[in-house]
Amino acid sequence: MARALAANKPVLPVFIFDSNILAGLPRDDARVTFIFDVLQKINKQLVEKFVSGVAVFHGNPLIIFEQLLCTYRIDSVYANRDYEPYARERDASVHDLLRAHGSRLLTFKDHVLFETDEIVKQDNQPYVVYTPYQKRWRSRWQEVAGEIGQIAVPNWGNLAKGLPLPWLTLTDIGFERSVLVVAEYRIDSRFLQNYGESRDFPALAHASHLGPHLRFGTVSIRQIVQQTARAGAEIFLNELIWREFFSQILWHFPHTAERSFKPRYDHIKWRNDEQEFNLWCMGRTGYPLVDAGMRQLNATGCMHNRVRMVASSFLCKHLLIDWRWGESYFAQKLLDYDMASNVGNWQWVAGCGVDAAPYFRIFNPGTQIEKFDRDWRYIEQWVEDVHQLSYPQPVVEHSFARKRCLDAYGRL
């Protein structure tokens, strides 16, 4: 928006609910409600302060841009870059359409601090191991830290005013209001100072809730990195760097959205037992920490990061169910779903991705309880029947499952 307003031409803010992305989502998807509410807030502010607003559409972006080209004289379209495979194809098509009409698509970096090939090795090849990437990222951050945030105040006077702008309701786009609410993010100094020692204990509820806000652009990654760096919160900064690491992996290796980074792992003989997958989805595996995480996810759209590792590892290695099944389920449920991070983390636990956990690293769900939820506070919060006779027996015995997994991976 700032770049568009700086061009000294009338600017019309446009938001498109992309029907290709929304297709298949449940009618009460909380992420759609969240986006809609943010748009309402922005529109209200623009109307009250500048007699302007946001033009909201729903449908195929190409068709909508064709309509816009017939309605307005468009010199340029300004947008932030999206690095997911579908978005790249979509934006390339929009670029071609606009160019055919004598217009331009101008895209800018906003989702990450360093994008695509800005952090690469000396031979210009992408990093596929986190630690050297992280070191190079930190070095580059030191070089540019003083420049970050030095953006001119937008010239709001260039907003197009007084136009009859289309607006849609949730019902118009085929949705209804969700009962789930995206929480406000928490990133104060106290949180940052305690993050390192508290982050692995789910009962402490020491979560930033930052994910959805970074995913949907309601907070600036530059602001968050600056705040984190000023607080000296090195471990939390590492988490932000992991996000950018996975983003550049998806950019350089878009096939990882559907296939393993390490091709031989596409030949794992997955069991893919649908009944066991459904038990995992419902939080009925008989493993309390796994079940607590899945029930938290189903009830809230959130899951503690430590528990995510345990639950996803359990699916892949205890049950020998394809990581893509779990990735798809998380994509449906997580309020902070981000393809790059979700795919990257699932391939990490499955041992088939970049810088992945070795296949012989298999979390013991019982040991994880002893380490991170010894008094069962988190488990009892989410698995109310854990001490009742109705609670299921373990779907598989740990030692047996571990050996079965090692045998399956060892045959590759």
Side-chain angles (χ1 to χ4, degrees):
M1 176 71 83
R3 297 295 186 96
L5 292 169
N8 290 322
K9 294 181 179 179
V11 174
L12 173 62
V14 171
F15 187 91
I16 300 173
F17 281 100
D18 187 336
S19 56
N20 297 317
I21 294 176
L22 299 185
L25 295 180
R27 282 182 53 86
D28 62 345
D29 193 287
R31 295 162 295 190
V32 177
T33 298
F34 175 67
I35 294 170
F36 179 80
D37 287 347
V38 170
L39 284 172
Q40 278 194 312
K41 183 177 179 180
I42 293 172
N43 188 69
K44 184 173 183 290
Q45 291 174 338
L46 294 182
V47 169
E48 291 178 351
K49 293 183 178 181
F50 308 108
V51 198
S52 183
V54 181
V56 177
F57 300 90
H58 171 239
N60 185 310
L62 271 182
I63 295 175
I64 290 170
F65 272 109
E66 288 176 345
Q67 296 170 351
L68 289 169
L69 286 163
C70 292
T71 305
Y72 304 100
R73 181 181 176 183
I74 300 175
D75 175 77
S76 303
V77 172
Y78 292 75
N80 294 326
R81 284 190 279 274
D82 192 327
Y83 310 108
E84 296 182 2
Y86 163 72
R88 292 169 66 178
E89 294 178 6
R90 176 200 63 203
D91 293 352
S93 298
V94 171
H95 171 270
D96 291 343
L97 172 67
L98 293 171
R99 184 173 60 179
H101 286 78
S103 185
R104 301 176 297 171
L105 175 63
L106 303 176
T107 62
F108 301 89
K109 177 178 64 175
D110 185 67
H111 184 60
V112 291
L113 202 63
F114 298 114
E115 65 176 357
T116 59
D117 56 358
E118 289 187 317
I119 304 291
V120 292
K121 296 185 286 187
Q122 290 185 347
D123 60 1
N124 290 322
Q125 294 300 305
Y127 285 101
V128 295
V129 177
Y130 172 74
T131 299
Y133 174 87
Q134 180 237 104
K135 291 179 179 177
R136 180 61 182 142
W137 190 101
R138 286 174 175 271
S139 176
R140 286 282 292 122
W141 160 248
Q142 292 299 323
E143 295 171 7
V144 304
E147 304 170 9
I148 299 297
Q150 296 181 4
I151 300 175
V153 177
N155 185 358
W156 297 106
N158 286 330
L159 283 170
K161 299 177 179 62
L163 297 176
L165 302 180
W167 184 264
L168 300 173
T169 66
L170 279 170
T171 304
D172 292 332
I173 62 175
F175 287 82
E176 60 190 34
R177 180 161 294 279
S178 174
V179 297
L180 295 183
V181 176
V182 174
E184 294 294 326
Y185 66 89
R186 177 190 179 192
I187 196 74
D188 54 54
S189 58
R190 182 177 180 182
F191 168 84
L192 291 171
Q193 290 166 4
N194 295 332
Y195 179 77
E197 61 188 40
S198 302
R199 65 176 183 147
D200 281 323
F201 300 92
L204 297 181
H206 196 79
S208 70
H209 300 292
L210 190 59
H213 297 275
L214 287 174
R215 175 67 181 91
F216 298 114
T218 55
V219 67
S220 164
I221 182 60
R222 293 164 296 284
Q223 170 193 333
I224 298 301
V225 168
Q226 285 179 316
Q227 190 172 346
T228 303
R230 283 196 301 266
E234 297 298 314
I235 296 177
F236 192 77
L237 182 59
N238 284 341
E239 296 302 310
L240 298 175
I241 300 173
W242 268 109
R243 174 178 173 270
E244 303 216 345
F245 175 67
F246 282 140
S247 178
Q248 62 94 31
I249 289 296
L250 184 62
W251 170 268
H252 287 288
F253 306 99
H255 72 276
T256 57
E258 298 177 350
R259 304 193 307 278
S260 300
F261 176 79
K262 300 173 182 176
R264 74 188 183 112
Y265 286 89
D266 281 331
H267 301 289
I268 295 173
K269 297 299 182 183
W270 301 109
R271 294 176 58 253
N272 288 344
D273 185 301
E274 292 189 11
Q275 182 177 359
E276 292 181 0
F277 177 69
N278 289 332
L279 291 174
W280 177 82
C281 292
M282 293 185 294
R284 300 286 295 171
T285 68
Y287 280 84
L289 190 58
V290 173
D291 292 344
M294 297 307 297
R295 295 188 193 189
Q296 180 190 17
L297 174 65
N298 292 332
T300 69
C302 305
M303 193 195 301
H304 188 274
N305 284 341
R306 164 60 59 176
V307 185
R308 290 190 197 193
M309 286 195 295
V310 177
S312 52
S313 176
F314 183 88
L315 182 75
C316 297
K317 294 183 175 177
H318 279 71
L319 302 183
L320 276 180
I321 291 177
D322 195 324
W323 64 268
R324 282 160 284 226
W325 288 33
E327 195 278 336
S328 178
Y329 191 75
F330 274 25
Q332 296 173 36
K333 295 290 184 176
L334 283 172
L335 297 180
D336 66 356
Y337 173 73
D338 175 277
M339 177 183 284
S341 294
N342 202 46
V343 166
N345 281 307
W346 271 97
Q347 292 208 23
W348 185 87
V349 296
C352 62
V354 294
D355 203 10
Y359 74 85
F360 50 81
R361 183 181 185 185
I362 302 173
F363 288 108
N364 181 326
T367 302
Q368 292 289 303
I369 294 174
E370 288 301 309
K371 289 181 178 179
F372 304 113
D373 195 35
R374 181 172 295 181
D375 59 4
W376 287 48
R377 283 174 54 202
Y378 172 76
I379 290 170
E380 291 175 349
Q381 177 184 358
W382 294 107
V383 188
E384 296 178 353
D385 58 338
V386 70
H387 300 302
Q388 299 175 12
L389 293 176
S390 60
Y391 185 66
Q393 293 297 309
V395 67
V396 65
E397 194 270 327
H398 170 69
S399 297
F400 169 82
R402 185 178 188 281
K403 183 180 184 304
R404 180 175 66 184
C405 175
L406 292 175
D407 289 344
Y409 276 71
R411 286 194 292 269
L412 293 177

